C-alpha cells in the first residue's frame, strides 16, 4: 500500500513537472505591433529552449491596464511579464529618468549602443533593486508630435496645445518649457481622449502612431524626434524567484530575442510608417529645425541632474 501510494505520488509529480506552463506578456500596443512581434518572438524562443514545457500568450492593447498599472502588477505578482516604455518607469526607478531626457540620443545606433552596453546593464540592475526584474532593453522609438489643430514647425506652434504626455516628470517639464499644455495620461485612455477632444495632440513613435490608427483622430504629424523612447522587458520577481537557474537562462534568452525582433520591426516601420501615415490622410512635416525645441527642453535636465548629478548624462553623451 505504502509502495503504491508513493509510486502514484511520484507519477503525479512527474506529470505535473512535464505539464505545459504558460506566461502572459502584457503591453499597451496591438497584437501585431512592434511589441506584439516582440512578444511572439519571446514565446517562440522560450518554447523552443524549454522543449515545449513553457508557452505564452499576449495580453495586448492594454487589456491588463496602462503601463504604470502593469508595472505595479509585476511588483505584487498579479502579472508575469510586461513590455513597457520607460514612460512611467521613472516613478519606480528614478535613475531611468536619464533615458527619457529630450534630445539626448543622437540616433538609433547611439541609443542601442548605450542600452546594450555598460549603462544599459547598470540600469537593468537598478530596476532589479525595486521589486522588478529587468530582463532586456527593447525599443519603442523616437517620438514625434501629432495633433488635430495645426502643423507644428516651431515651438510657437505648440503654444496652448493640450498635449497628452506619458506619466513622466521629465517629459511633462520638457513640453511645458516648449510651450504646450502637458496632460499626463495612461496610453489605453489616449485614443478616446483624442477623439473627444479632451486633448488636442499626443507624441509617440511612428510604430505607435501607425499601430494605433491615430490618423483617425489626428491630421497633423511633425517629425520632431524630440526624445528616444526605450522599451524594457520586465518580469515579476515572484515569477522569477519561482524559476530554476536553467529556466532563468531560457527567459533571458527569450527576452534578448524579443528585443531584437522588436528593434527590427521599429527599423522597418521607420521606413514604411511615414508613408502609411500620409496614405491615411495625415499631413506630415518632416523638415523640423530641432535646435529651438532642444534649447527650451534643456530645463528638463535639471529634474534629473538635481537628484542624480550630470555624470550619467555625460556618460550617455560620450558613447560613440
Ligand atoms: O509603450 O504611453 C505611451 O505613449 C507609450 O509610448 C506606449 O504605451 C508604448
Amino acid at each position: 500500500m505504502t509502495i503504491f501510494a508513493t509510486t502514484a505520488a511520484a507519477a503525479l509529480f512527474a506529470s505535473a513537472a512535464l505539464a505545459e506552463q504558460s506566461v502572459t506578456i502584457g503591453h499597451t500596443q496591438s497584437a501585431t505591433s512592434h511589441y506584439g512581434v516582440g512578444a511572439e518572438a519571446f514565446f517562440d524562443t522560450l518554447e523552443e529552449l524549454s522543449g515545449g514545457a513553457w508557452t505564452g500568450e499576449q495580453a495586448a492593447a492594454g487589456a491588463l491596464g496602462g503601463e504604470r498599472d502593469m508595472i505595479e502588477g509585476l511588483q505584487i505578482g498579479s502579472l508575469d511579464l510586461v513590455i513597457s516604455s520607460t514612460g512611467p518607469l521613472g516613478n519606480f526607478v528614478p535613475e531611468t529618468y536619464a533615458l527619457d531626457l529630450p534630445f539626448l540620443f543622437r540616433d538609433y545606433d547611439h541609443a542601442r549602443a548605450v542600452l546594450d552596453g555598460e549603462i544599459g546593464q547598470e540600469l537593468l540592475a537598478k530596476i532589479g533593486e525595486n521589486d522588478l526584474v529587468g530582463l532586456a532593453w527593447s525599443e519603442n522609438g523616437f517620438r514625434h508630435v501629432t495633433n488635430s489643430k495645426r502643423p507644428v514647425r516651431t515651438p510657437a506652434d505648440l503654444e496652448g496645445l493640450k498635449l497628452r504626455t506619458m506619466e513622466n516628470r521629465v517629459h511633462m517639464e520638457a513640453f511645458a518649457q516648449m510651450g504646450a499644455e502637458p496632460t499626463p495620461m495612461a496610453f489605453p485612455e489616449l485614443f478616446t481622449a483624442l477623439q473627444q477632444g479632451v486633448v488636442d495632440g499626443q507624441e509617440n513613435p511612428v510604430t505607435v502612431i501607425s499601430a494605433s490608427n491615430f490618423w483617425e483622430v489626428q491630421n497633423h504629424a511633425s517629425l520632431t524626434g524630440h526624445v528616444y523612447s526605450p522599451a524594457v522587458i520586465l518580469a515579476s520577481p515572484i515569477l522569477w524567484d519561482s524559476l530554476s537557474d536553467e529556466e532563468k537562462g531560457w527567459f533571458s534568452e527569450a527576452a534578448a530575442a524579443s528585443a531584437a525582433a522588436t528593434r527590427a520591426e521599429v527599423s522597418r516601420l521607420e521606413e514604411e510608417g511615414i508613408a502609411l501615415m500620409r496614405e491615411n490622410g495625415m499631413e506630415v512635416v518632416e523638415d523640423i529645425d530641432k535646435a529651438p525645441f532642444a534649447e527650451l527642453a534643456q530645463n528638463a535636465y535639471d529634474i534629473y541632474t538635481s537628484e542624480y548629478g550630470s555624470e550619467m548624462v555625460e556618460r550617455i553623451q560620450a558613447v560613440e
Side-chain angles (χ1 to χ4, degrees), residues 28-29 34-35 67 83-85 140 143 164 166 185-187 190 202-205 208 229:
T28 56
Q29 301 300 299
H34 58 310
Y35 288 177
E67 293 182 337
I83 303 176
S84 173
S85 74
N140 197 18
R143 303 177 78 92
R164 177 269 177 175
M166 296 195 288
M185 190 183 289
F187 188 86
L190 179 55
Q202 64 88 44
E203 45 84 52
N204 252 303
V208 174
S229 186

Side-chain angles (χ1 to χ4, degrees), residues 95-96 99 118-127 137 312:
E95 290 84 352
T96 63
L99 301 175
E118 206 176 73
I119 295 172
Q121 284 309 311
E122 265 176 52
L123 291 173
L124 287 178
K126 282 276 173 237
I127 291 171
W137 289 108
M312 179 60 92

